[in-house]
Amino acid sequence: MDAKFRQAALDYHQYPTPGKVRQSSSKPMRNAHDLALAYSPGVAVACEAIASDPDSARHFTGRSNLVAVISNGTAVLGLGNIGPLASKPVMEGKAALFRHFAGIDAFDLEIDASTPERFIEVVAALEPTFGGINLEDIRAPECFVIEDELRRRMAIPVFHDDQHGTAIVCAAAVTNALLLQAKELSQVRLVTSGAGAAALACVDLLVTMGLPAANVTLTDIDGVITRDRTGMGANMARYARAGPACRLDEVIAGADIFLGLSAPGVLRAELLPLLADRPLILALANPEPEIRPEVVRAVRPDAIVATGRSDYPNQVNNLLCFPFIFRGALDIGATEINAAMKIAAVRALAALAREGGPCPFSSDYIIPDPFDPRLIGAISPAVATAAMASGVATRPIADLDGYRDVLAAIAQP
């Protein structure tokens, strides 16, 4: 970033009011009667109703449309462990995106909790306040423990977007790229560069959708993840290989999919000829990918490339899914966001790109643009339907066509 852009970013955050979110009242406060209804004595009536019937909180409070964006700042963007206070601009930004793209109110909560145990206790105690929990920028492997335990303890959706949002958009890109390349998920071989939370979530979701686990090779800075690697969690160990810890360049030959969630320049141009015919290259390191698309095009014009950057085609951006997944989950009172709901989001997102949009479906348009107003109408009903079918909806929607009309009014052009 040059100095001009950096100053523009600071000005954006500071003026005319510091920060990116603020709270506003949804009810009038014009006179004494309004005040009596909003607070004492009228508020007691709503309190008594909820004490008698907890489910009525969705009628008398904003809980069912309220998400917490929560972080301890231990793995912020590409900045690392900068702490909860320095993470606040990111969390405010996420809250603003929820509101703008899906009409969801969101509070950002930055927690001074460096251990999973403290983090879990703090967040679990907040369940009466929120309809859903969006975990953000928590380092691995603590993020796995935190999400698993919170999902077990809480009866509202808990979603670590760094993992699952990335995985859903990545899986949609894979779905459409394989269709264009005339390949089947059950037949391809995938090699990763990176074995952190996002990479493992991507692999897990693809395996759930039909990629054989035996066709996956995980690598990180120390080489291939092998069975003698110490300190592995179960989600990594299931893909560990027998044999020595080879380097990426020793295992990439014949790979149909390269999944990069690691570091700049890891996939060198001289390795590209080793990939299978018609490969898919997901170079998702940010801001600098594992390889630039123009380098790939010069060496492998038969490849399809996606990055995490907005200045190249096929941007794998979590914004394509997380607001709309939560919209669907909140609207049917989901108790969790399960695998069926994630797969429904993948399929809806992939299908939307195949319908065209700003560009026709092609190797340069395998996933939609984040500003596509059709996203909410495609993804949220698909997620809601999957939640109902999988038995995690507490408030099923009978009229899905009417629901789509409601969503259309929320959609941003």
Side-chain angles (χ1 to χ4, degrees):
M1 293 181 286
D2 61 27
K4 184 177 180 180
F5 183 84
R6 293 178 69 88
Q7 187 59 52
L10 292 175
D11 290 346
Y12 178 88
H13 283 80
Q14 185 174 0
Y15 303 111
T17 302
K20 296 193 288 287
V21 293
R22 64 184 176 189
Q23 186 179 13
S24 62
S25 176
S26 62
K27 297 294 190 293
M29 295 283 182
R30 296 166 299 197
N31 50 47
H33 180 66
D34 288 346
L35 185 60
L37 293 174
Y39 203 56
S40 182
V43 72
V45 181
C47 292
E48 289 170 340
I50 295 169
S52 175
D53 176 15
D55 186 56
S56 70
R58 65 189 174 98
H59 297 302
F60 304 126
T61 75
R63 180 177 184 263
S64 64
N65 193 51
L66 185 61
V67 168
V69 180
I70 306 182
S71 181
N72 61 3
T74 53
V76 180
L77 298 175
L79 304 174
N81 185 2
I82 61 174
L85 181 59
S87 78
K88 189 170 178 65
V90 179
M91 305 312 131
E92 283 190 353
K94 199 67 172 275
L97 294 176
F98 269 113
R99 182 69 224 176
H100 182 81
F101 286 93
I104 294 171
D105 296 318
F107 289 166
D108 63 290
L109 299 175
E110 295 74 33
I111 299 176
D112 186 6
S114 58
T115 67
E117 295 77 16
R118 177 171 168 80
F119 192 103
I120 290 164
E121 290 303 319
V122 171
V123 176
L126 295 170
E127 184 167 350
T129 302
F130 296 101
I133 303 294
N134 182 99
L135 301 175
E136 196 79 17
D137 291 352
I138 305 166
R139 67 187 171 198
E142 288 94 333
C143 61
F144 305 123
V145 176
I146 288 169
E147 186 188 29
D148 288 348
E149 182 62 13
L150 288 175
R151 290 188 65 192
R152 186 187 70 80
R153 291 176 56 169
M154 303 180 81
I156 58 176
V158 176
F159 187 81
H160 186 201
D161 186 47
D162 299 327
Q163 292 184 62
H164 308 300
T166 303
I168 288 163
V169 182
C170 176
V174 169
T175 297
N176 280 343
L178 292 183
L179 181 63
L180 287 169
Q181 303 288 53
K183 296 183 179 183
E184 297 290 336
L185 185 62
S186 61
Q187 302 296 319
V188 298
R189 180 167 170 262
L190 181 148
V191 174
T192 78
S193 174
L200 288 170
C202 291
V203 171
D204 285 345
L205 184 56
L206 289 170
V207 168
T208 300
M209 294 178 64
L211 174 66
N215 292 7
V216 175
T217 303
L218 298 181
T219 78
D220 63 8
I221 193 170
D222 296 317
V224 173
I225 307 300
T226 58
R227 292 173 186 164
D228 59 358
R229 177 80 68 98
T230 59
M232 286 190 295
N235 53 346
M236 182 185 290
R238 72 172 62 103
Y239 304 113
R241 298 282 176 225
C246 305
R247 301 187 309 271
L248 173 65
D249 58 2
E250 296 175 294
V251 295
I252 200 170
D256 299 278
I257 302 172
F258 169 83
L259 173 60
L261 283 152
S262 56
V266 168
L267 184 60
R268 304 186 307 277
E270 58 264 31
L271 299 181
L272 295 176
L274 300 177
L275 293 167
D277 291 340
R278 295 164 288 125
L280 169 62
I281 296 172
L282 298 158
L284 306 183
N286 247 329
E288 183 63 30
E290 285 80 2
I291 192 167
R292 289 268 185 159
E294 60 267 26
V295 176
V296 175
R297 283 194 294 270
V299 180
R300 292 297 304 264
D302 61 332
I304 294 176
V305 186
T307 71
R309 293 174 59 123
S310 60
D311 54 347
Y312 287 110
N314 301 326
Q315 183 191 17
V316 175
N317 187 334
N318 293 14
L319 181 56
L320 285 165
C321 70
F322 76 80
F324 317 116
I325 290 171
F326 268 98
R327 180 73 279 160
L330 292 173
D331 289 340
I332 47 80
T335 56
E336 65 177 10
I337 296 173
N338 60 23
M341 296 160 74
K342 295 173 194 173
I343 292 172
V346 171
R347 291 173 175 163
L349 187 56
L352 197 62
R354 294 196 298 272
E355 293 172 7
C359 304
F361 178 52
S362 68
S363 60
D364 283 337
Y365 188 77
I366 57 174
I367 43 179
D369 180 273
F371 287 93
D372 191 327
R374 302 173 300 162
L375 285 164
I376 191 170
I379 296 174
S380 299
V383 168
T385 300
M388 292 187 285
S390 59
V392 299
T394 62
R395 300 190 298 274
I397 296 172
D399 182 7
L400 283 172
D401 288 335
Y403 179 49
R404 291 186 180 92
D405 290 340
V406 171
L407 296 173
I410 298 173
Q412 298 290 331

